[in-house]
Amino acid sequence: MKELRRYMRLYRVFIAQFFKKLVQSKADFLIGLIGFFLTQASGIAFLFLVFQQIPVLKGWTLDQLIFIYGFAQIPRGIDHLLTDNIWLVAYRLVVNGQFDRYMLRPMNVFLQIIFESLQPDALGELTVGTILVIMSLSKGIVIVDGVHILFFIISIIAGAVIYTAVKLLFASLAFWMKRSGPVLQTAYELANFAKYPTEIYAKGIRFIITYIIPFAFVVYLPASYFLKSTVSPMSTIGVECVIAVVFLGIAYGVFTWGIRCYESAGN
C-alpha cells in the first residue's frame, strides 16, 4: 500500500509537468484533436456509404454497426490517452540510447514510461465513441440493465488493457531490432478490422484478429453481447478478461527480458 501511494504521488508529479508543457503548445493539441475528429468522421461516413448499397451486412444493420464502431473507440481511446508513450520505445528511446534515463531512476521502468505523458488527442476518440454509444442507446438496440452496464465497464477496461499489451509486446521488440515501429504499427492497425463483424472477412484475417492478435475480443465479440440477448457474457467478456491478463503478462515479460538485453546506444 505504501508503494502504491508512492507511485500515485509520482504520477501526479509527472502529469503536472506534462500539463506545463501542454499549455505551451495549445495549437498542437487543437490540431491533433481536430485531426482525430476528422478521422472518426471519415470512418462513420464509410459506413453510411456502404449501407446505401447494402441495407444489411451479414445480418447486421447500420445502427448496430454504428454501436460497434463507437464501442471500439472507447477502450482504444483510453489506451491512447494513458499509454501512448510506449510508441517511443518502438521508434526512438532504444535506438537513440534515451532509454538509459529510465533505468537510472529508482522507479519501475514501465510505469515511468506511461506516467511521463498523456495524449490529449485521445479525447477525440473518446468523445466520438461516447456519442455513438449514446445514440445507439436512444434507438433501443442495446440491452441496458445493471448486469450489462457492469459488463460494459469491465469490457472497456479489459479492452484497453489488451490494446496496451499489444502495443507493449511489439514495442519491446525494439530491444533486439532497435526500431520496431513499423512492426508495431502494422499489428496495432489490425484493430481497425475489429470495428466490423468478423464474418465479412476471409478466414485468414478472422483467425489473426481472433487468435493471434485478439482485437476481435476487444470490440466485435463483446459488442455482440450488448446487442444480442442470446450471446453469453462468459464466452465474450469473460474470455476478453482472461486474454487481457494473459496478454499483458506475456507483453510485460518480454519487456522486462528486453531491459536485461538492452545495451544502450553505440554498443
Side-chain angles (χ1 to χ4, degrees):
M1 185 61 70
K2 182 179 179 181
E3 190 71 5
L4 177 62
R5 288 198 297 268
R6 172 175 173 262
Y7 277 115
M8 293 307 297
R9 186 171 62 253
L10 288 170
Y11 183 61
R12 289 194 295 270
V13 172
F14 273 102
I15 295 305
Q17 294 302 314
F18 167 76
F19 277 109
K20 288 179 182 178
K21 292 188 292 184
L22 182 64
V23 296
Q24 297 174 358
S25 55
K26 299 183 184 70
D28 288 345
F29 164 64
L30 291 174
I31 291 172
L33 190 61
I34 292 170
F36 270 96
F37 272 118
L38 293 176
T39 300
Q40 304 309 320
S42 66
I44 298 167
F46 172 75
L47 284 178
F48 278 98
L49 289 173
V50 168
F51 274 85
Q52 283 183 350
Q53 306 299 322
I54 309 172
V56 177
L57 185 63
K58 290 289 185 177
W60 296 88
T61 66
L62 175 60
D63 288 339
Q64 289 174 322
L65 287 190
I66 286 177
F67 171 77
I68 294 173
Y69 191 95
F71 180 76
Q73 304 311 312
I74 299 176
R76 184 164 182 166
I78 293 172
D79 165 65
H80 186 190
L81 177 69
L82 299 177
T83 69
D84 208 55
N85 227 34
I86 293 174
W87 287 91
L88 296 183
V89 177
Y91 277 104
R92 193 169 69 212
L93 297 180
V94 173
V95 71
N96 292 346
Q98 297 174 14
F99 197 81
D100 293 6
R101 72 175 186 266
Y102 299 102
M103 298 182 67
L104 294 173
R105 297 169 181 162
M107 183 180 174
N108 180 277
V109 175
F110 172 67
L111 292 180
Q112 287 185 64
I113 292 170
I114 64 172
F115 281 7
E116 197 167 49
S117 72
L118 297 174
Q119 184 51 266
D121 294 351
L123 296 176
E125 288 170 304
L126 291 169
T127 301
V128 170
T130 302
I131 290 172
L132 294 180
V133 168
I134 291 173
M135 286 172 56
S136 300
L137 292 174
S138 68
K139 292 182 178 181
I141 63 170
V142 181
I143 303 170
V144 181
D145 56 38
V147 173
H148 280 77
I149 292 172
L150 175 62
F151 277 123
F152 183 88
I153 296 169
I154 292 172
S155 180
I156 291 298
I157 295 171
V161 169
I162 292 174
Y163 273 114
T164 299
V166 169
K167 199 159 56 180
L168 181 63
L169 176 62
F170 287 95
S172 298
L173 297 180
F175 291 113
W176 296 274
M177 299 171 61
K178 302 308 178 188
R179 184 178 280 115
S180 63
V183 179
L184 170 56
Q185 186 74 45
T186 301
Y188 199 76
E189 290 303 317
L190 287 174
N192 291 326
F193 288 102
K195 294 177 182 177
Y196 310 100
T198 57
E199 296 98 322
I200 70 175
Y201 302 121
K203 290 182 180 179
I205 295 176
R206 289 206 305 267
F207 181 81
I208 291 172
I209 64 174
T210 304
Y211 301 108
I212 305 300
I213 304 176
F215 286 128
F217 282 99
V218 178
V219 182
Y220 166 64
L221 294 174
S224 65
Y225 166 69
F226 302 110
L227 292 167
K228 298 183 177 181
S229 59
T230 57
V231 177
S232 165
M234 290 301 102
S235 65
T236 52
I237 314 298
V239 175
E240 180 186 16
C241 292
V242 172
I243 290 173
V245 172
V246 172
F247 221 84
L248 183 61
I250 293 172
Y252 188 74
V254 173
F255 178 74
T256 54
W257 181 23
I259 290 175
R260 292 195 294 269
C261 298
Y262 176 65
E263 297 177 333
S264 191
N267 295 315

